[in-house]
Amino acid sequence: MSPTLRPRRLRQSAPMRRLVAETRIHPAQLVLPMFVAEGLSEPRPISSMPGQVQHTLDSAAREVERAIAAGVGGIMLFGVPQQKDAVGSGATDPDGILNRATAFLAERFGDATVVQTDLCLDEFTDHGHCGVLHGDGSVDNDATLERYADMAIAQAEAGSQLLGLSGMMDGQVDHVRAALDAAGHQGTAILGYSAKYASALYGPFREAVDSSLTGDRKTYQQDPANRREGLREALLDLAEGADIVMVKPASLYLDVLADVAAASDVPVWAYQVSGEYAMVEAAAERGWIDRDRLVTESITSIIRAGADTVLTYWAVEQAEWLQTRGIGARS
Ligand code: PBG
């Protein structure tokens, strides 16, 4: 018996496959996370993330120019300060590295791209936690909200257009929104890292930001076992007024991403994190996988699952491929 239903008809040539592709990557859907470090005279390679560096202001500016030329949708800045303390003072200091880098890049490129900032204390605290601590060493949710409010105003004043709230404190979107509005920053948008899991995939990032953390973040980031809770966190951020919600990491959490995408009435983003990047780069270095194919396949899969936009360390490279080779390009 020969089959009458033949799905292979639509796979028989590259033009046919291109014609019926359900998912396409557009450069504007990609956001580049970048690290800017204080006190460097040269960019410093991050060994756990081959191809990524801690930037100086000048090298960051060159990279942003490249991102803009490739059509990337925006950049997400992380700061790497030289001094840290218990409350993360560098995060709220207008002269702190993240705020300085934001002002420097927003002034030059703020009309051409969306300059975004990570809003979290972990890069700035000597204990490495995302918030300030109680006397017993646990993270003090509500005192942390006050620090986030001040950090938000500092970032908005530096020119950040979209604040990425990545600390997983309860009520952070509501609290930061109110603080921004009271300070006259009604136009500054909030990206909630809504469903952020306590993942081993953040390992390489810890080197990227010279993290001081010794324990873990399991009392505030989510348990990887919990799917329903990821949706709940996103719904809370929506109720609190998040302009965009995000799921993080991406590849191992596509079920959560699909749930959030089905429920959200605002854009849904996903963060392809440092460990997702490092695993591919490491396997490719050994010649075990086809790196470029896997990069595009992984980003395509995240968009297929429901992400409107992907934060990825491959943003510029993938966008340049779309320009030159047309892989996954809109046609
Ligand atoms: C917190 C933050 C982290 C990442 C982004 N924002 C680290 C963490 O939560 O431990 C991880 C990003 C990555 O791994 O690429 N400021």
Side-chain angles (χ1 to χ4, degrees):
M1 264 276 286
S2 80
T4 49
L5 299 178
R6 293 183 183 273
R8 286 184 57 197
R9 282 187 201 113
L10 298 183
R11 296 177 204 143
Q12 59 193 319
S13 69
M16 184 66 92
R17 290 192 294 273
R18 185 177 63 175
L19 183 66
V20 301
E22 297 176 37
T23 305
R24 303 174 202 281
I25 310 173
H26 190 278
Q29 289 177 285
L30 305 173
V31 169
L32 177 69
M34 298 176 64
F35 307 102
V36 184
E38 193 171 32
L40 290 185
S41 49
E42 291 292 315
R44 186 201 295 163
I46 301 164
S47 63
S48 57
M49 301 175 69
Q52 301 299 308
V53 301
Q54 291 181 345
H55 282 286
T56 64
L57 290 180
D58 287 341
S59 74
R62 286 193 296 275
E63 185 68 6
V64 176
E65 275 172 8
R66 197 181 146 203
I68 291 169
V72 162
I75 56 160
M76 171 62 76
L77 299 174
F78 293 88
V80 186
Q82 277 178 315
Q83 307 288 334
K84 305 182 187 196
D85 61 24
V87 297
S89 303
T92 45
D93 180 351
D95 286 328
I97 183 62
L98 178 55
N99 295 324
R100 267 204 298 133
T102 303
F104 179 82
L105 296 170
E107 190 193 321
R108 280 162 187 74
F109 305 110
D111 293 332
T113 192
V114 182
V115 175
Q116 312 165 38
T117 43
D118 184 59
L119 199 163
C120 189
L121 286 173
D122 64 315
E123 287 98 33
F124 299 94
T125 51
D126 51 13
H127 45 74
H129 275 294
C130 293
V132 294
L133 306 182
H134 285 295
D136 66 0
S138 62
V139 174
D140 183 339
N141 192 92
D142 298 5
T144 299
L145 295 182
E146 299 306 322
R147 297 290 298 132
Y148 286 0
D150 291 347
M151 196 174 176
I153 291 164
Q155 292 185 351
E157 279 169 6
S160 177
Q161 296 157 347
L162 178 58
L163 311 185
L165 275 57
S166 66
M168 288 302 280
M169 293 301 122
D170 292 338
Q172 62 185 10
V173 170
D174 180 54
H175 201 83
V176 165
R177 183 72 270 158
L180 286 169
D181 290 353
H185 295 294
Q186 290 89 349
T188 305
I190 292 178
L191 161 67
Y193 282 51
S194 307
K196 177 170 177 180
Y197 287 85
S199 175
L201 289 169
Y202 307 144
F205 176 93
R206 305 268 159 95
E207 184 199 321
V209 298
D210 300 342
S211 172
S212 328
L213 186 71
T214 48
D216 59 53
R217 307 195 196 285
K218 290 179 184 169
T219 68
Y220 41 106
Q221 297 179 351
Q222 290 180 254
D223 185 339
N226 295 352
R227 175 174 179 170
R228 187 189 295 130
E229 189 187 37
L231 178 60
R232 178 175 191 233
E233 284 280 8
L235 294 175
L236 286 173
D237 278 4
L238 290 170
E240 291 180 28
D243 299 287
I244 301 169
V245 292
M246 188 150 77
V247 174
K248 174 184 177 188
S251 300
L252 297 186
Y253 296 86
L254 296 182
D255 53 342
V256 179
L257 175 58
D259 289 351
V260 172
S264 177
D265 53 5
V266 302
V268 177
W269 291 14
Y271 196 146
Q272 184 173 47
V273 301
S274 58
E276 298 176 75
Y277 175 88
M279 287 193 296
V280 174
E281 294 290 344
E285 217 171 85
R286 294 184 170 202
W288 289 351
I289 47 163
D290 181 334
R291 173 186 183 276
D292 296 4
R293 271 188 70 193
L294 187 51
V295 168
T296 298
E297 181 178 338
S298 63
I299 296 170
T300 300
S301 298
I302 294 164
I303 294 172
R304 188 197 63 231
D308 300 297
T309 295
V310 183
L311 271 76
T312 173
Y313 300 99
W314 289 304
V316 175
E317 204 177 357
Q318 174 65 71
E320 287 175 348
W321 293 341
L322 290 163
Q323 287 181 329
T324 56
R325 302 190 218 157
I327 296 174
R330 290 187 198 280
S331 39

